[in-house]
Structure formats: C-alpha cells, structure tokens
Amino acid sequence: MKFLMNTGRTVNQGASVENKRSAAYNDETGTCFMHLFDMMELGVDDRENVRVTSPFGEVVLMVVSDEHLKPGTIFVPYGPYANHIIDGETHSTGMPDFKSTEVTIEPTDEARKSVYDLMADLGGLPYDH
Amino acid sequence: MIIKDAVCPFCGCLCDDIEVTVDDGKIVAVDNACTLGNHKFLGDHRLPGPIRRDGDTWKDIRYDEAVEYAVDMLLEADRPLLYGWSGTHGEAQCVGVHMAELLRGVIDNTSSVCHGPSILAIQEVGHPGCTLGQVKNRADLLIYWGCNPIDAHPRHLSRYTRYADGFFLENAFRDRKVIVVDVRKTETTNLADEFVQIQPGADYAVLSALRAIARGKGDALPRTVGGVPREQLVRIVDLCKKAKFGAVYFGLGLTMTRGKYKNIRNAIELVDELSRHTKFTISAMRGHYNVYGSNEVNTWMTGYPFGIDFSRGIAFYNPGETTAVDILARKECDACLIVASDPGAHFPRACIKHLADIPVVQIDPYANATTAFCDVQIPVAVTGIDAEGTAYRMDGVPIRTRKVLSTGYPSDEEILGRIYARIQEVRQP
Ligand code: SF4
C-alpha cells in the first residue's frame, strides 16, 4: 500500500536523543505510526514489523496504531530510520523533503535493525562502550 | 548545593528558572525543568575521553593527539565542511567562523535543516516578530502552525502562552484563545480552542485562503481549501481581526513541507495583512537551545546566517549549494568537522554515506550516531552544565548559560581555540 511519510519530534525522541544506544531511542525512532484502518487493510497488528520502501531505500519499522493520523499517512519520529529512506535532494533550499516522502508499505517477518546496525551498513563503526 | 536560576540547554525556550541540586560533584535533582530538560541535566553516558578509530576497533587517545589529528585533517583538506554549532555557546561559534575563513572552508549550522527556510523567507519579506515577554503579557490570540510545543518545547505554553499569566490580561487563561493548525492531531491540538486539520502539503493554499478572507475576498474561495471548510477559515480570520494582539508561532511543519520557504513567506504576509486590522506578530519555534545564536554569530561575522562558503576568500552564501546536506549528497567535501550536532542521525542516507568515506572529527560530549563515522571524537563539557557561555533564546534574546558543576572536561571554545591556534601557526605564521 502507498503512504505519505511525515516525520517530526516527539517527547520520547527528545528525552532519549542524547543516548542513541538506548532501547528507548531505538524503539521510538524505529516506529511507524499508522491509522488502525490502514493496519487492518495491511493485516498487521500493533508492534509487528513492516517494510517501508521509498525510491531511495528501504527499512524495517515497527508499526503502532495512532487514531490521530489521517488514513494514507504515516508518522515516523525523527531519526536514523526515517532518514534511511529520505532523499538528499533539497530543491535549492538546503532542506530535504523530511515531511513528504512517498513510501510503499508491506508486512514482513524480518527483524528491525538497531540504529547501530544501520550505521554499520553504511560503513560506520558503532561505538559501544 | 542548590543553584538557582540555572539555564536549561536543551530547546529554544532556554528556560532560565531552573533549580539544580548538586551533591558530591553530581547533579542529583532538577526543579522547574520539563522532561526534556530533566533528561539533559541528569543524563550521564558521557564519552570519558577522546577516541580514535583504528580499523575495526576504538582506541583511547590523549587530548593532544586528538587535537593534532583534527589540525592535520583540516590543513590537508581542499574543501573542509564545518558543520553543527547549534548545541554550543556563541564564543565557540565565533572560533568556528574564524577557522572556516582561514581554511577557506564551508561553515553551516543545523538551521539549514530546521529553520533555514524561515530565514530565507525573512530575507525576502522581513520579520514582524517580538520577544516572548510581549506575547506572555499581551497576546490574547495564539496560533501554533505546524509545530507541537507539548512535545518539542514543553514549557512554551506554561511560561508564555496558554497557561501563563499576562500583565495586560485580566484572566489570561480565559481571555487567551489558542488556534492550532496541523496535519495530524497531537497533544498540542488537544488543548486548542480551535483545531484546523489540513491536508499534508496544503499549508500554502490555506495561508493564501486566509489572506484572501482577510482582504474581503472570501467569496471567491471554494467550499474547502486544503481539507478545511471555508466557514472555519472565515471564523479564524474573524478571531484574528477581533484580537487585540495576535502571535503566530510556526515550526518545521511549515519549513520542511512542500513549498518550504514560500510557506513562511505566505505566513509572514498573512501577518502583514492582519496587522492592518490589529497588532500581529510571527516567530519561529527554534529547536536547539542555541541554533538562533549560530545564525546571529554567523551573521554579524560574515553577513550570512548559515551555509557560508569561504573558498573564494570572501563569504559566499547560496542555500541549496553551500548547505551541508547538498555538499555531502554531492560528495563535495573531503573532510568534515562536526561540532555539537548529530548529522549521523538526522541527515538523509546519501549524506551519511559520504561521511563514511572521508575523514571526520566530531567534538561532542556524547557518543551518538555520528560517532560511527568519525575517525576521532573529542568529548567536551556540556554548555549550561559544566561550561558557561552565551546562547540566544528563540526570540533572539541572549542569555548567559551557567556552569553548575566542574568535571574537568574542556569546553568547546577551549578545544576549538587550540585547533584554531595551531592552524594559525601554519597559515598565518
Ligand atoms: S522547555 Fe525547553 S528550555 Fe525549558 S526546560 Fe524544557 S527543554 Fe529546557
């Protein structure tokens, strides 16, 4: 199914932002909030995983229902997961399209990666002490 | 020991009424701060000392060695990018600008991915803004557009708007109306007197419709604009015109969506229109506690607020070309110094991929997502906790943050000063 992905701050993201190793940060930024109707149509339950694909990449996120969202849109808190599938193009403004990336979503059994795994995939060496 | 009136170094509200209790060299209690501020003051997980990547492991190194590495990296680079700056004090930001000029590098701050578009709009049509104190004491109508202060600036409502007393308002809570415009319901929309839910990307159209109504041309509008019924738009313009003092606050919901700076320009022009009927102001909800400061420091030193390229020997500014995301996505820079920010977590993947390919030094108290892409990270004191310095609140008021504790970590200014002095020795002997 096709969705419009919005990203933004949440209080949990802000409170855990200085500790990106924490489960709290990984869970918060690795969550895709979605309207219950869309979840029913996709056939997924709360806290199950979905694969989110944009023209710029794909990432596995945990889905959580949120009745405040309009059907057809998803919300992902700011962080490495959302940025994994956002383009670097800024249309001559310096600002990427953080709030308007079109994505396709499907259920998956694949596990969600940690923030550090995402970094390692791109050639980084997570610091874990 | 209790330190009164400490300043919270987290968000642009820069609350200066925090009470911090220090016992045995540690912060043990924090009063008055919100959850975000509490976490900042009470957080540990600091990086103990400088680290250097050595193949597939991390090695502890001394500060001297770390500074040397940064100096060599910057001197060897043809097009170094100096990025970040919003989470540190103004004095350190000054050193950064001097350093970028001497290196003929590019210096950009995090505003290019938050309120950079707002500044572009302000450069086009000006900024009818005011201080938070004016709003607290006078505003009887608040509009929050594309922002969610309950989550991002938790005390904005209690210190300055919804729950704040106002000198010129008899019963501030009853007399103040709050309108929230957003694409989704949030904690903030729950406490609005009027919630306007618009379709994603429809901000420009809705702002234009409000301007048309304010001009008396509402009849020309269709029945709904951007998902909002015309009647609601008319009601809002009515509320605005009846207000004695209206204040608009907007967030990344306007700067990051389609239209980017043109949305802000339209919002400023709406405020201009409303100011023909009553008093209206508009301001940005600045995120990091000193992102405003980095725009100020850059502007008074170079003439430009962010994205400044010194490769021509003079300051050159062209957002979209000289801004960090573009430079990284185009794989243009050949070294990167990152100060007090975390592009590893907040930049699109293409940018981070380039960081992995070039030498990177990060100056930051915490190990973060960017650490994974560093060759060297140098931990420093946290401004407002174990270092002091000047920061600018979201309304442009400079506030001196306080040092509440001594830890022995050097400040950003000290480390940057050492790097700059060594670069000067080579470039300006
Ligand atoms: S509102 Fe902002 S500045 Fe004030 S205590 Fe909370 S995080 Fe700190």
Side-chain angles (χ1 to χ4, degrees):
Chain A
M1 275 171 73
K2 285 210 182 307
F3 290 85
L4 189 65
M5 180 174 80
N6 185 7
T7 68
R9 278 198 196 99
T10 64
V11 82
N12 292 337
Q13 177 261 343
S16 56
V17 72
E18 310 281 20
N19 185 7
K20 297 193 166 101
R21 268 171 289 173
S22 66
Y25 184 78
N26 277 263
D27 281 352
E28 184 68 12
T29 57
T31 298
C32 148
F33 294 94
M34 185 186 281
H35 196 279
L36 196 58
F37 292 169
D38 288 335
M39 286 175 58
M40 283 158 75
E41 203 153 318
L42 270 176
V44 287
D45 276 334
D46 258 335
R47 305 188 72 80
E48 285 185 352
N49 286 352
V50 288
R51 186 198 319 280
V52 185
T53 310
S54 80
F56 320 104
E58 57 170 61
V59 71
V60 174
L61 298 174
M62 174 168 77
V63 68
V64 167
S65 70
D66 184 343
E67 81 275 21
H68 298 320
L69 287 169
K70 283 211 162 143
T73 63
I74 57 164
F75 179 81
V76 183
Y78 279 144
Y81 293 92
N83 281 316
H84 215 67
I85 53 171
I86 289 176
D87 192 15
E89 170 62 47
T90 74
H91 319 288
S92 301
T93 63
M95 171 73 83
D97 293 329
F98 285 120
K99 290 191 183 281
S100 45
T101 299
E102 282 179 13
V103 296
T104 316
I105 299 188
E106 58 195 347
T108 179
D109 292 331
E110 218 178 293
R112 181 167 54 100
K113 289 186 173 164
S114 70
V115 167
Y116 277 14
D117 288 343
L118 290 179
M119 300 292 124
D121 282 356
L122 295 175
L125 175 67
Y127 177 82
D128 222 350
H129 298 280
Chain B
M1 183 179 51
I2 294 180
I3 295 125
K4 287 198 169 70
D5 300 331
V7 179
C8 172
F10 191 92
C11 84
C13 287
L14 210 60
C15 297
D16 52 1
D17 60 345
I18 312 294
E19 257 186 54
V20 180
T21 313
V22 176
D23 192 18
D24 203 16
K26 268 206 153 74
I27 297 175
V28 291
V30 180
D31 287 306
N32 293 343
C34 68
T35 326
L36 300 175
N38 266 328
H39 272 84
K40 176 97 191 199
F41 276 109
L42 295 169
D44 37 16
H45 310 291
R46 300 257 195 118
L47 191 63
I51 50 169
R52 178 172 179 174
R53 181 169 175 173
D54 184 8
D56 278 341
T57 54
W58 291 101
K59 206 167 80 176
D60 294 326
I61 57 172
R62 285 176 304 114
Y63 274 95
D64 288 346
E65 203 185 317
V67 166
E68 247 355 86
Y69 185 93
V71 170
D72 290 345
M73 174 189 89
L74 291 168
L75 284 172
E76 272 166 30
D78 288 325
R79 192 158 173 73
L81 170 66
L82 283 62
Y83 176 77
W85 308 102
S86 56
T88 185
H89 45 280
E91 294 78 356
Q93 293 162 349
C94 286
V95 181
V97 177
H98 283 304
M99 198 148 79
E101 184 173 14
L102 194 53
L103 290 165
R104 293 198 166 205
V106 179
I107 185 163
D108 189 23
N109 55 55
T110 59
S111 61
S112 62
V113 290
C114 63
H115 277 289
S118 315
I119 298 174
L120 297 185
I122 288 168
Q123 286 169 336
E124 284 191 355
V125 287
H127 178 202
C130 68
T131 61
L132 286 162
Q134 291 285 345
V135 170
K136 169 187 182 327
N137 288 316
R138 295 175 191 274
D140 57 349
L141 180 78
L142 269 299
I143 300 179
Y144 285 107
W145 196 308
C147 57
N148 178 12
I150 293 259
D151 274 2
H153 301 84
R155 294 183 73 211
H156 198 265
L157 293 136
S158 57
R159 290 196 86 198
Y160 304 112
T161 64
R162 174 95 275 187
Y163 306 110
D165 287 337
F167 192 80
F168 298 107
L169 300 165
E170 235 162 69
N171 180 342
F173 185 71
R174 198 194 57 213
D175 295 348
R176 266 197 243 268
K177 290 264 170 298
V178 177
I179 299 171
V180 180
V181 186
D182 209 328
V183 295
R184 63 186 181 115
K185 285 196 190 131
T186 63
E187 295 287 335
T188 307
T189 61
N190 287 343
L191 48 86
D193 296 293
E194 183 97 41
F195 169 41
V196 186
Q197 187 164 20
I198 64 173
Q199 278 163 359
D203 303 82
Y204 192 90
V206 174
L207 286 162
S208 299
L210 292 172
R211 280 174 69 189
I213 297 167
R215 281 241 166 164
K217 309 271 188 220
D219 295 344
L221 294 176
R223 236 186 316 225
T224 64
V225 178
V228 190
R230 186 171 54 199
E231 297 74 57
Q232 190 179 22
L233 295 170
V234 170
R235 194 162 64 235
I236 284 165
V237 172
D238 246 19
L239 281 171
C240 289
K241 284 188 176 170
K242 281 203 196 105
K244 291 199 190 74
F245 189 119
V248 183
Y249 284 101
F250 64 94
L252 306 186
L254 270 192
T255 66
M256 286 180 173
T257 27
R258 190 169 52 179
K260 309 249 167 72
Y261 69 101
K262 291 295 182 192
N263 296 330
I264 323 294
R265 180 183 168 139
N266 215 0
I268 295 175
E269 289 183 316
L270 170 66
V271 163
D272 178 20
E273 186 61 43
L274 291 169
S275 291
R276 291 165 206 268
H277 303 272
T278 178
K279 170 90 185 151
F280 244 84
T281 73
I282 179 167
S283 291
M285 297 287 275
R286 306 303 305 264
H288 288 102
Y289 76 91
N290 196 26
V291 61
Y292 198 116
S294 59
N295 297 138
E296 288 281 321
V297 168
N298 284 343
T299 306
W300 85 55
M301 292 179 75
T302 73
Y304 303 114
F306 60 95
I308 304 136
D309 181 354
F310 284 104
S311 61
R312 295 158 176 82
I314 47 132
F316 174 79
Y317 163 73
N318 186 20
E321 178 192 346
T322 59
T323 26
V325 166
D326 304 275
I327 287 181
L328 286 165
R330 280 199 311 265
K331 304 186 185 303
E332 201 174 285
C333 55
D334 56 351
C336 191
L337 176 72
I338 295 166
V339 183
S341 71
D342 189 5
H346 299 122
F347 275 11
R349 184 171 60 166
C351 304
I352 307 174
K353 248 190 124 25
H354 186 57
L355 277 184
D357 294 338
I358 58 171
V360 176
V361 172
Q362 170 166 246
I363 301 178
D364 199 287
Y366 309 96
N368 55 23
T370 305
T371 306
F373 303 99
C374 286
D375 294 273
V376 165
Q377 178 165 349
I378 311 176
V380 281
V382 180
T383 307
I385 297 180
D386 43 341
E388 61 172 17
T390 308
Y392 282 73
R393 204 167 65 182
M394 61 162 73
D395 55 352
V397 173
I399 292 176
R400 182 107 186 136
T401 67
R402 300 182 62 186
K403 178 172 171 171
V404 298
L405 173 86
S406 290
T407 54
Y409 280 109
S411 71
D412 285 295
E413 189 189 3
E414 251 175 277
I415 289 295
L416 286 160
R418 281 174 64 184
I419 297 173
Y420 179 53
R422 292 276 294 104
I423 292 172
Q424 268 183 311
E425 279 168 26
V426 178
R427 292 275 164 101
Q428 286 179 328

